[in-house]
Amino acid sequence: MTERRPTRGEHQKALAQKNKKSAPKPSKKKWFKRITLTIVAVIAACFIGGAGLFAYYASSAPELDENLLKDPVSSEFYDKNGDLFATIGAENRKYVKYEDIPEDMINAILATEDVRFFEHGGMDFYRLGGAILANFRDGFGAQGASTLTQQVVKNSFLQNEKKLKRKAQEAWLSFQLERKYTKEEIFEMYFNKMLMSGRVYGFGTAAQYFYGKELKDLTLDEEALLAGLVQRPNAYNPLKNPELAEKRRNTVLGLMYQHGKITKAQMEEAKKVNVQAGLADDATRQKFSGSKYDAFLDVVINELEKNGDGSAMAEGIKVYTTLDPKAQQIVENIMNDDSNFPTKEIQSGVTVVDTKSGQIQAIGGGRNYGAERGWNYAYDLHHQPGSTMKPLLDYGPAIENLKWSTGQTLVDEPMKYSSSDQTITNWDNKYMGAITARKALYASRNVPAVKALQEVGIDKAKEFIGRLGIDAKNVYESDAIGGGDITMSPTQMAASFAAFGNNGVYTDPHSIIKIVYRDGKTTKDYKPESNVAMSDYTAYMVTDMLRDVVGNKPDASGTAANVPGLDIAGKTGTTNYSRADFNKHNLPDTSVPDSWFAGYTSNYSIAIWSGYEKHFDPITTWDERRLPQHLFKQIMKEISANVETPRFKKPSSVVEATIEAGTKPLKLASNFTPSEKRRTELFVRGTEPKDVSDEYAMPELASPYNVSANLDIEGQSINISWEHDAMLNPETNEPLPTTFEVSAKREGGKTISLGTTESKDLSISSKELEDGNYTISVVAVVEDTRSKPGTATFQIAGTTDEEDKDKEPDTPDKPDVEEPTAPDENGNNGDNGNHNGNGNGNNGNNNNNGNGNANTGGNGNAGGNGNSGNTGNNGTPPGNNNGNNNGSKPPTTPTEPTAPDDGTGSTE
């Protein structure tokens, strides 16, 4: 057998496998070389690209200008009309030469801002490397590495933004600056240029502003504080934020010790000093007038700081604000008029906010507020809000989440907090029992407010106020009456209340619309977004209850704030001292620390706080307590003059219903609910009650009286009339609709219905009744209630035509004429037999015509006291009846007339 030879394909496959096994593998050295070359190429490309980009950016950098380097660049501030109202820059700055700067002051600045300043050439690459690593780790812009040189350049020529172009230009100009000026000259520029706080520029100016001293007189702790201000000028202001300022000062002292500028003992000794111990008071602090509207400008500067633009003013920005100069001037005029204040020392803070937009229109930072004050009672103050918290935390959430009516029944009674034995009391130490939510709010009762918070739950209430810009870490039951953990400023309170007047839409209070940077093109929008904080029914129903706070109802707490002609809603508030505080500080029983009023129209929302600078200097009189109301009235009246102010409009989601107060669940008032129990209240549509209260039955319906019937021969009719005392509607005091059912019963026969009428008389055809004796009955009917009948007797008797034809006419005898005699004491008229029941009876008459007349006598006085008299017969011919009146009122002995009741007593 011969051996099989491999095919062509198999031969090629075997050859390829052999070549594969014998091919040499690339060495590790070659791989390393390839990777290295790739990295170098990438770095080279990046370097070339970066260098090209740097050169491009550097070529467009501005030229160095010595004036701009040495002086702060002024920033401009415009009101809402676009008019300039303030310029802040080099005004009132104290310029200090380098040789006059104390060594410790230099060391404090260098240790904090640029410890290698005298070693680098404008850029600190060692520090830059650390910043780059931080930026890779935490994101671009997480950490900066700006030297003093770079800060001078940035504040002189460039805008405050973290962009590559600005950083490249900053680096280039820093190298240029280092070549042109000495280190000492550059440090001097920095020292006099930097924004220190608000409108204070330069360390020399800051020394006078904060301490009333020259630089050479500052202590180590004071120098450290000033050195730390530059990073966040307003946040580290010791006048406003002493805790933050102390922490920052201690950080600077630690850096000075770390870099060998001071000893450990010096550091520890300086840290022990109270950060506010050496601060100048208002009397000695230098005044810095940057604006005629200092209080408002302070708020603007704080808002810049809050939004990360605190140092942007040093770069020459234009700030477009929400300031209404008319409103601001009104506020300042009122705040600066001592006659508006009950004591010399009492203070107030005022914020005016646009109800719809949340824009701050005006700020009253305090009485005779000046730029030197540093403390703005409208913006910086955060105190317990007292009862102004009730609509925000209690009733608003209850309506929103539980769909409460404004007539919700709440019981004002002694009770304790859930977690303590402390009894909740009211300001007057009294309790009102079952009342509506509306009255509980406008009368500012504490117990119902706590019950409302308990019903809705703390979590939902906390969520509700969160949508109104109130950030509360903890909410306690005592916060229901504004005495817990939550604190507020007048600015925040004005904005929160504005949401009720804006159909439930909330906007954060803001004083800036936009800022424009130095290039005139780059802008930053400051307008916050609005959010729906509550349903429109909640906003309106709370507003309607708060209308009563300033209304004229008994027990309303805010009547002094009312402005006639304006649709205003508002709430009062006071806070309290603890019992321990009363004992410790020997305070009068009437003492309170804070008084508030927050109110709004459809145009403006205003919140006002009043109190004293020191917490334990108490408010003790009602004039002091009502100060916020009086200020509100003056301000709201003047800013609303000649301005159309629409009324609050009820949304379709809200309906009205008249309920019986005190019912639980709520029931509609009946026609017989007393007026003092009737309340017209608001309901979320679909939740209004359907059942009518049966608590009060209909009072007995008075019977008709003075019923009479007369036969009219010519008109062929019987005319029936009567009197009746109508039942009154308890709500309107108007007569209730009444109908009368009239019937006649023939003696020995059946009752015949004569008809129904709403008037007090009825005419029927004489043909409807046969001859005979009848009892006429009149029954009053109101809804389903019927009165007892009022009655009168009546006779119909006559002859036929045939009989009349044959009969001779009678010739009447000449009557005997007798002299009249005086009536006896019972009102009888002698021989005529006429009975005058209390002077209102009808005389019996001799009618010789065959026609029966039945007239009730008696007293027709209102109230059902009429008594029928008996008619006398004076020779009445047979067939004619003037007989007895069987009306509903029994006869009584007539009495002498009396004068009308004057309302001071009751009548029988």
Side-chain angles (χ1 to χ4, degrees):
M1 177 182 281
T2 60
E3 184 178 357
R4 186 179 73 86
R5 298 178 63 183
T7 65
R8 182 182 179 88
E10 291 173 338
H11 177 71
Q12 290 177 340
K13 185 176 181 181
L15 185 61
Q17 187 69 24
K18 181 179 180 181
N19 292 335
K20 183 178 179 182
K21 289 180 180 180
S22 61
K25 295 181 179 180
S27 65
K28 293 181 180 180
K29 186 176 180 180
K30 288 183 178 180
W31 275 112
F32 180 77
K33 184 177 179 180
R34 291 176 183 176
I35 294 172
T36 302
L37 290 174
T38 302
I39 293 173
V40 170
V42 171
I43 292 175
C46 290
F47 179 79
I48 295 171
L53 186 62
F54 179 85
Y56 171 74
Y57 286 151
S59 66
S60 60
E63 296 292 330
L64 294 178
D65 185 322
E66 186 168 350
N67 291 329
L68 294 177
L69 287 167
K70 290 187 174 182
D71 293 326
V73 181
S74 296
S75 290
E76 298 175 344
F77 296 81
Y78 298 84
D79 63 27
K80 71 175 189 177
N81 302 318
D83 297 326
L84 180 70
F85 72 90
T87 300
I88 295 179
E91 295 84 355
N92 292 329
R93 183 188 56 159
K94 180 178 177 61
Y95 195 91
V96 181
K97 294 290 186 178
Y98 179 81
E99 55 266 25
D100 296 325
I101 304 173
E103 184 178 359
D104 279 342
M105 186 80 258
I106 294 173
N107 289 335
I109 294 172
L110 293 179
T112 307
E113 296 294 325
D114 189 0
V115 72
R116 289 164 44 82
F117 173 69
F118 284 97
E119 300 172 19
H120 61 66
M123 294 283 291
D124 189 346
F125 292 102
Y126 177 80
R127 188 178 176 190
L128 180 61
I132 290 174
L133 291 176
N135 290 334
F136 273 116
R137 182 178 64 250
D138 303 322
F140 181 73
Q143 179 177 318
S146 294
T147 63
L148 295 188
T149 310
Q150 288 175 276
Q151 292 184 56
V152 170
V153 167
K154 181 188 71 172
N155 290 340
S156 299
F157 307 107
L158 306 173
Q159 61 193 49
N160 185 27
E161 56 181 351
K162 293 180 178 179
K163 293 182 178 180
L164 286 174
K165 179 180 180 181
R166 200 269 290 175
K167 297 302 290 185
Q169 291 179 340
E170 181 183 293
W172 171 251
L173 290 174
S174 295
F175 285 124
Q176 294 287 90
L177 188 63
E178 290 276 351
R179 289 206 301 265
K180 188 173 182 179
Y181 296 94
T182 66
K183 287 288 187 179
E184 289 76 12
E185 289 174 321
I186 295 173
F187 190 93
E188 183 181 305
M189 295 173 186
Y190 172 89
F191 194 80
N192 291 286
K193 190 177 191 65
M194 300 308 294
L195 175 66
M196 302 300 293
S197 183
R199 66 207 68 180
V200 179
Y201 285 85
F203 284 84
T205 315
Q208 292 184 334
Y209 176 76
F210 287 108
Y211 297 108
K213 296 179 179 179
E214 296 294 330
L215 281 169
K216 62 183 180 62
D217 298 322
L218 293 177
T219 59
L220 177 61
D221 62 282
E222 294 167 348
E223 291 171 329
L225 186 141
L226 295 183
L229 282 175
V230 177
Q231 188 181 81
R232 296 179 63 194
N234 294 294
Y236 296 140
N237 185 329
L239 297 169
K240 296 182 178 181
N241 304 306
E243 292 182 2
L244 282 177
E246 182 177 359
K247 185 177 180 180
R248 178 61 177 166
R249 180 201 66 183
N250 292 345
T251 297
V252 173
L253 289 169
L255 289 170
M256 292 180 73
Y257 169 66
Q258 176 184 332
H259 294 295
K261 305 299 183 182
I262 58 174
T263 66
K264 185 176 182 180
Q266 287 176 309
M267 175 188 71
E268 292 177 348
E269 186 67 24
K271 284 184 176 181
K272 293 178 183 178
V273 179
N274 186 315
V275 75
Q276 290 186 311
L279 294 176
D281 57 25
D282 290 345
T284 59
R285 190 178 301 131
Q286 179 182 348
K287 295 184 178 181
F288 298 84
S289 56
S291 164
K292 56 183 177 181
Y293 303 134
D294 294 314
F296 186 89
L297 190 59
D298 279 352
V299 173
V300 173
I301 293 171
N302 275 283
E303 192 168 334
L304 287 169
E305 173 73 26
K306 181 181 177 181
N307 284 273
D309 296 313
S311 60
M313 284 194 302
E315 303 166 20
I317 59 175
K318 291 183 178 180
V319 184
Y320 292 87
T321 76
T322 62
L323 173 70
D324 182 340
K326 175 188 172 184
Q328 182 67 35
Q329 194 62 58
I330 288 171
V331 169
E332 291 190 4
N333 290 343
I334 291 173
M335 294 290 285
N336 296 338
D337 185 349
D338 290 344
S339 66
N340 293 323
F341 294 84
T343 69
K344 183 178 179 181
E345 295 82 14
I346 195 167
Q347 271 292 355
S348 288
V350 179
T351 298
V352 181
V353 167
D354 184 285
T355 303
K356 299 178 181 63
S357 67
Q359 293 184 355
I360 300 173
Q361 306 287 280
I363 290 287
R367 295 172 66 179
N368 300 299
Y369 189 91
E372 81 283 357
R373 177 173 298 283
W375 182 261
N376 191 316
Y377 286 105
Y379 191 85
D380 297 321
L381 175 138
H382 286 79
H383 282 197
Q384 291 178 332
S387 291
T388 53
M389 201 66 194
K390 291 173 181 176
L392 300 170
L393 189 66
D394 310 329
Y395 297 103
I399 294 173
E400 180 71 12
N401 293 281
L402 306 178
K403 291 184 171 58
W404 272 14
S405 161
T406 59
Q408 176 78 18
T409 299
L410 293 164
V411 181
D412 185 18
E413 60 188 350
M415 70 172 286
K416 296 180 179 179
Y417 289 113
S418 301
S419 57
S420 75
D421 291 332
Q422 181 182 349
T423 299
I424 305 168
T425 59
N426 293 304
W427 66 270
D428 56 359
N429 293 315
K430 297 178 182 179
Y431 300 95
M432 290 185 172
I435 54 178
T436 62
R438 178 187 294 276
K439 182 163 187 177
L441 183 53
Y442 76 68
S444 203
R445 311 308 288 177
N446 287 341
V447 172
V450 176
K451 288 184 176 182
L453 178 60
Q454 290 175 338
E455 286 282 334
V456 74
I458 284 177
D459 290 341
K460 289 183 178 178
K462 182 179 178 180
E463 181 182 345
F464 185 87
I465 62 173
R467 295 194 296 268
L468 293 174
I470 304 170
D471 183 17
K473 294 182 179 179
N474 300 297
V475 175
Y476 304 101
E477 287 184 356
S478 56
D479 282 305
I481 57 177
D485 201 46
I486 299 173
T487 60
M488 294 181 71
S489 69
T491 300
Q492 182 58 62
M493 186 179 290
S496 298
F497 269 75
F500 292 125
N502 192 33
N503 299 313
V505 177
Y506 170 80
T507 308
D508 280 326
H510 57 287
S511 62
I512 303 175
I513 299 172
K514 67 177 181 178
I515 60 176
V516 178
Y517 292 99
R518 186 183 305 161
D519 62 5
K521 299 177 181 178
T522 309
T523 64
K524 183 176 182 179
D525 186 5
Y526 265 63
K527 290 184 292 186
E529 292 185 3
S530 300
N531 68 279
V532 178
M534 67 190 86
S535 304
D536 58 358
Y537 58 76
T538 302
Y540 183 79
M541 290 167 69
V542 169
T543 294
D544 194 59
M545 291 194 289
L546 294 181
R547 281 167 163 162
D548 287 340
V549 172
V550 298
N552 56 7
K553 290 187 176 181
D555 303 312
S557 61
T559 55
N562 187 40
V563 180
L566 290 181
D567 191 9
I568 295 174
K571 186 68 189 76
T572 57
T574 56
T575 60
N576 296 308
Y577 293 111
S578 68
R579 179 47 53 191
D581 288 337
F582 274 96
N583 295 333
K584 180 178 179 180
H585 298 277
N586 194 28
L587 300 172
D589 292 340
T590 57
S591 299
V592 298
D594 307 281
S595 182
W596 292 86
F597 186 81
Y600 55 96
T601 65
S602 56
N603 290 336
Y604 302 105
S605 178
I606 304 175
I608 302 176
W609 167 90
S610 289
Y612 289 88
E613 182 178 354
K614 295 180 180 178
H615 181 69
F616 292 108
D617 287 346
I619 291 171
T620 58
T621 67
W622 279 106
D623 283 343
E624 292 168 284
R625 286 198 188 196
R626 294 194 178 105
L627 175 59
Q629 296 183 52
H630 292 300
L631 294 177
F632 173 90
K633 180 174 184 175
Q634 293 181 70
I635 294 170
M636 183 63 83
K637 180 180 179 180
E638 290 194 32
I639 66 175
S640 300
N642 303 317
V643 177
E644 183 180 356
T645 305
R647 292 184 60 82
F648 299 110
K649 185 178 180 181
K650 183 175 71 175
S652 60
S653 57
V654 176
V655 295
E656 293 182 355
T658 301
I659 54 96
E660 185 176 293
T663 53
K664 196 170 184 178
L666 287 176
K667 291 185 178 181
L668 297 172
S670 69
N671 285 331
F672 318 111
T673 301
S675 58
E676 64 270 17
K677 287 285 188 178
R678 302 175 73 88
R679 302 284 187 276
T680 299
E681 300 292 353
L682 302 180
F683 293 81
V684 179
R685 183 175 294 278
T687 67
E688 61 271 26
K690 302 294 189 288
D691 296 333
V692 178
S693 172
D694 58 2
E695 179 70 18
Y696 297 92
M698 175 181 281
E700 184 176 353
L701 187 59
S703 299
Y705 59 94
N706 283 350
V707 180
S708 67
N710 296 294
L711 180 63
D712 183 352
I713 295 296
E714 293 182 2
Q716 298 290 307
S717 65
I718 300 173
N719 300 322
I720 305 170
S721 64
W722 58 91
E723 295 181 48
H724 182 255
D725 299 326
M727 180 181 289
L728 300 181
N729 185 319
E731 183 175 12
T732 63
N733 210 34
E734 295 293 327
L736 289 170
T738 306
T739 57
F740 299 93
E741 296 177 356
V742 184
S743 62
K745 183 177 182 180
R746 187 178 182 185
E747 184 177 332
K750 61 181 181 178
T751 299
I752 303 169
S753 175
L754 301 182
T756 300
T757 180
E758 294 180 357
S759 62
K760 295 177 183 178
D761 56 67
L762 180 69
S763 294
I764 62 172
S765 171
S766 59
K767 296 179 181 179
E768 293 187 28
L769 298 178
E770 300 175 354
D771 290 352
N773 295 324
Y774 288 87
T775 297
I776 304 297
S777 296
V778 182
V779 176
V781 181
V782 174
E783 294 186 352
D784 296 328
T785 301
R786 303 169 59 83
S787 73
K788 293 178 181 180
T791 62
T793 57
F794 177 70
Q795 184 183 56
I796 298 179
T799 59
T800 65
D801 292 341
E802 308 306 348
E803 293 172 331
D804 291 339
K805 246 190 261 182
D806 300 332
K807 188 173 181 178
E808 293 293 329
D810 293 333
T811 301
D813 296 331
K814 183 177 181 180
D816 295 330
V817 179
E818 297 182 357
E819 292 297 323
T821 60
D824 62 22
E825 64 180 2
N826 291 324
N828 296 320
N829 200 16
D831 295 336
N832 289 328
N834 298 321
H835 185 90
N836 186 358
N838 203 21
N840 293 327
N842 294 312
N843 292 334
N845 296 314
N846 183 355
N847 296 317
N848 192 19
N849 55 14
N851 300 326
N853 298 320
N855 298 312
T856 63
N859 186 354
N861 289 332
N865 293 325
N867 298 309
S868 63
N870 293 320
T871 59
N873 295 322
N874 186 15
T876 304
N880 295 320
N881 180 24
N882 200 30
N884 295 322
N885 175 0
N886 296 318
S888 62
K889 309 296 180 183
T892 60
T893 303
T895 61
E896 292 296 324
T898 60
D901 186 77
D902 62 0
T904 59
S906 60
T907 55
E908 292 295 323

